[in-house]
Amino acid sequence: PMKLKKLVSETLNQQINNKDTNTLKKTHSFDKEQKKVTSSQEVSDKLDGSTENISHIAQTRISEKDLKAQGPYEAIPLIRPIVLCGPSLRNFDVTDLMHKALFHALKRAFGDKLEVVHIEEKWLKPFHNALANKHLVGTTEAMDHVMHQVFTASQSFKLLFIDLKVNSPTALKRSPLAPLLVHIKIANMKILQNLIKSRGADQKRSSAAQVYTAQKLCDLDKRVFDVVLKECNFEDAADHLIRYLNKYYEASRPTQAPKRSDQLLRSSLNPSMMKGLVVKSPFGSRRNNSKKKKVPTATLR
């Protein structure tokens, strides 16, 4: 019995020790949680408010993004405007003279079907800045002004021509104008250098920049441009562009349902046309083939 008493007492002591260690662990973890709570409270106090202010800041940021987000579709003009690009930089003789010659050829070919959209020079520079960087101040006003002019002119369903003097076709292609970009391509740089030299010493000074931009335009993907004029002869290049614009002009016309002529309506209502028409029933042949039986009549005497 003495040994049993010792065993019981030892087991009881072990159980008491285990309980004490568990309580110590719980208190230690509880102290850690309290420290975390106090640290988060200190951070919120430093931010001049509780954690509710932090959630409010996150909500306001999300709402600003939603306001700036654009829809999946963009409105483009009814008729895409024609914009000439290349062979080199604008505001230089070689490029400007080629553009003028093509414009006069289009004017002679289409006449009243072609409408020129004139944009004032004060809007051109902010419009170019808007194409390069949309976040600049005052660029959205210029973009809206140009878009309004093009949209109002496209309601006449005529071919539109705009002289935007743009050297970067990729930025213009992504814009809501959705223009018909025409690239005047000179693949041989020696020919371009000779053309620049023929225009005088002033133009010869900027020949390096003009050749560099011409090479960059030639290296662009063909899908950037709608029409690429590679012809060496001016008349062939003008005919190529005129044929393309003729197809576009015919395809852009609003379709109308074909009207019936008066003769067709009269013939459909004429009763003489209905004489030869006989509607046969499926039982008509049986009735015609069947002979009538004679009914015997009784004679009275």
Side-chain angles (χ1 to χ4, degrees):
M2 293 296 291
K3 289 181 179 180
L4 289 170
K5 287 180 180 180
K6 286 181 180 180
L7 290 169
V8 170
S9 63
E10 287 176 358
T11 52
L12 289 170
N13 290 326
Q14 286 179 358
Q15 288 178 358
I16 290 165
N17 290 326
N18 290 328
K19 287 181 180 179
D20 293 335
T21 53
N22 289 326
T23 53
L24 287 170
K25 287 179 181 179
K26 287 179 180 179
T27 54
H28 185 66
S29 63
F30 182 72
D31 291 336
K32 283 184 178 179
E33 289 177 356
Q34 279 187 344
K35 285 180 181 178
K36 287 180 181 178
V37 171
T38 53
S39 63
S40 64
Q41 287 179 355
E42 287 175 358
V43 170
S44 63
D45 292 335
K46 287 179 181 179
L47 291 170
D48 296 331
S50 61
T51 54
E52 293 178 357
N53 291 327
I54 298 170
S55 63
H56 179 67
I57 291 166
Q59 287 177 2
T60 54
R61 286 177 181 173
I62 291 166
S63 63
E64 286 175 2
K65 287 180 180 179
D66 291 333
L67 288 171
K68 291 180 181 179
Q70 296 179 355
Y73 303 105
E74 282 186 349
I76 62 172
L78 296 173
I79 300 294
R80 297 172 63 189
I82 305 161
V83 177
L84 301 178
C85 185
S88 185
L89 287 170
R90 292 303 311 269
N91 297 324
F92 287 96
D93 290 348
V94 174
T95 305
D96 290 345
L97 288 172
M98 287 186 180
H99 287 200
K100 286 180 181 178
L102 274 176
F103 170 70
H104 288 300
L106 294 177
K107 195 69 178 174
R108 286 194 301 269
F110 292 101
D112 295 335
K113 296 179 183 178
L114 184 68
E115 184 177 352
V116 183
V117 181
H118 296 283
I119 298 172
E120 298 177 2
E121 292 184 359
K122 66 176 182 180
W123 297 110
L124 282 175
K125 189 174 181 180
F127 178 75
H128 295 164
N129 294 331
L131 291 175
N133 189 1
K134 295 181 180 180
H135 301 289
L136 292 175
V137 179
T139 56
T140 55
E141 186 180 357
M143 180 68 79
D144 293 339
H145 179 78
V146 175
M147 289 293 296
H148 179 69
Q149 270 190 307
V150 175
F151 269 79
T152 52
S154 65
Q155 292 177 0
S156 62
F157 282 97
K158 294 181 180 180
L159 291 173
L160 302 180
F161 183 87
I162 308 178
D163 189 11
L164 290 175
K165 298 181 180 179
V166 176
N167 295 316
S168 58
T170 52
L172 189 61
K173 189 75 174 179
R174 294 192 297 267
S175 67
L177 283 176
L180 291 171
L181 286 174
V182 181
H183 182 205
I184 306 168
K185 187 175 182 179
I186 297 178
N188 194 348
M189 295 298 117
K190 290 183 179 179
I191 296 172
L192 181 62
Q193 287 177 354
N194 292 329
L195 289 172
I196 294 167
K197 289 177 183 178
S198 66
R199 299 307 303 170
D202 294 335
Q203 299 292 319
K204 188 178 177 180
R205 292 172 188 171
S206 60
S207 62
Q210 294 186 53
V211 171
Y212 177 76
T213 54
Q215 188 64 46
K216 287 294 182 183
L217 288 172
C218 292
D219 293 339
L220 287 174
D221 192 1
K222 293 180 181 179
R223 291 175 292 181
V224 175
F225 304 102
D226 296 283
V227 185
V228 179
L229 304 178
K230 300 178 182 178
E231 291 79 6
C232 297
N233 191 4
F234 172 75
E235 293 178 356
D236 296 338
D239 290 338
H240 181 192
L241 182 58
I242 289 166
R243 278 188 275 107
Y244 179 85
L245 292 177
N246 265 324
K247 291 179 181 179
Y248 178 74
Y249 181 78
E250 291 174 0
S252 63
R253 297 299 90 195
T255 56
Q256 294 180 356
K259 296 180 180 180
R260 293 183 177 181
S261 61
D262 295 335
Q263 294 179 358
L264 289 173
L265 290 173
R266 288 173 184 174
S267 63
S268 62
L269 297 174
N270 193 0
S272 63
M273 298 290 291
M274 302 296 290
K275 289 181 179 180
L277 299 175
V278 178
V279 180
K280 294 182 180 180
S281 65
F283 302 102
S285 60
R286 292 181 183 178
R287 290 178 183 175
N288 293 327
N289 293 329
S290 62
K291 295 180 179 180
K292 294 181 180 180
K293 294 181 180 180
K294 294 181 180 180
V295 180
T297 56
T299 55
L300 298 174
R301 290 181 181 179

